[in-house]
Amino acid sequence: MEMTRDRYETLITNAEIQARVDAIASEITTCYSGTVPIMMPLLRGAFVFAADLARKLDLDVEVDFLGASSYGGATETSGEIRMTLDSSSPLSGRHVLIVEDIVDTGLTLGYIQKLIRSRGVASLRTAVLLDKQCRRKSQVDIDWAGFTIPDRFVFGYGLDGPGGLFRNLPDIMALPAE
Ligand code: XMP
Ligand code: MG
């Protein structure tokens, strides 16, 4: 099917996202007061959320990156996770904040949380922008979630859409419902 931008639906506007990220940033600021956590955005999808979130924190933080990609079709994970980038900071004894764009089945986040926990961190917390709760297969701990969304394929605001495009759109968009 030929897709054009005007066939996409805006699910969450950038203004709505910014308001929610403000609220989450304020809770995270309170939570980590007196400590210097390491924010770990999961590439590639979390780069926009993490950039906005980081700049709204009233905290000293370090930032490092993890990359993960799951084998599978265009819109569904196979559950087989491949690390495309590992952190370069020692994590032992550190307070780590994983930042993720979207949790669907939970397999990707579960894999990453287990990996990071195995490194002797002082604490591990997770902030996700979008939660497709109805699709969960594997229980994962989420400390902050931006929005619970229905089972739609979404993109924009960092997430890739058709053809690997549209990560740079400011809003969260969705393909037309079937
Ligand atoms: P799981 O199922 O492991 O999936 O929780 C998490 C990863 O799958 C990708 N994902 C999406 N990417 N639009 C996207 O652009 C979506 O609607 C969507 N649902 C899942 C995403 O990479 C996430 O890290
Ligand atoms: Mg992704």
Side-chain angles (χ1 to χ4, degrees):
M1 178 176 36
E2 177 83 15
M3 297 302 301
T4 58
R5 278 190 185 211
D6 57 349
R7 293 213 44 207
Y8 304 148
E9 182 186 332
T10 302
L11 213 59
I12 309 170
T13 66
N14 190 264
E16 292 168 325
I17 296 169
Q18 295 305 329
R20 192 69 191 108
V21 178
D22 274 340
I24 290 172
S26 143
E27 289 183 22
I28 292 176
T29 296
T30 304
C31 174
Y32 287 107
S33 167
T35 68
V36 179
I38 305 188
M39 273 182 85
M40 305 203 86
L42 205 49
L43 298 177
R44 290 181 275 176
F47 81 106
V48 175
F49 174 41
D52 281 345
L53 181 63
R55 288 174 294 172
K56 291 174 193 276
L57 294 177
D58 186 12
L59 271 182
D60 294 329
V61 297
E62 289 177 37
V63 182
D64 201 345
F65 297 92
L66 293 172
S69 158
S70 56
Y71 293 102
T75 61
E76 183 141 15
T77 179
S78 65
E80 191 183 338
I81 316 301
R82 180 171 41 120
M83 295 299 294
T84 56
L85 178 70
D86 203 347
S87 65
S88 46
S89 324
L91 299 181
S92 174
R94 300 300 307 270
H95 297 285
V96 176
L97 173 63
I98 294 174
V99 180
E100 174 60 314
D101 55 354
I102 184 166
V103 183
D104 185 2
T105 62
L107 294 168
T108 306
L109 185 58
Y111 179 93
I112 297 292
Q113 288 179 335
K114 193 172 164 200
L115 178 77
I116 298 303
R117 277 202 191 95
S118 76
R119 296 181 176 170
V121 296
S123 71
L124 178 61
R125 293 188 179 86
T126 301
V128 306
L129 182 69
L130 304 172
D131 186 356
K132 276 190 196 173
Q133 239 168 41
C134 58
R135 296 252 313 155
R136 203 61 39 81
K137 282 185 192 159
S138 164
Q139 192 48 50
V140 287
D141 299 323
I142 297 173
D143 299 275
W144 296 279
F147 302 89
T148 297
I149 60 166
D151 185 11
R152 302 274 302 270
F153 182 74
V154 296
F155 55 94
Y157 196 72
L159 291 88
D160 61 322
L165 302 176
F166 309 126
R167 290 187 194 272
N168 57 316
L169 296 182
D171 306 321
I172 297 288
M173 314 294 290
L175 293 184
E178 293 298 307

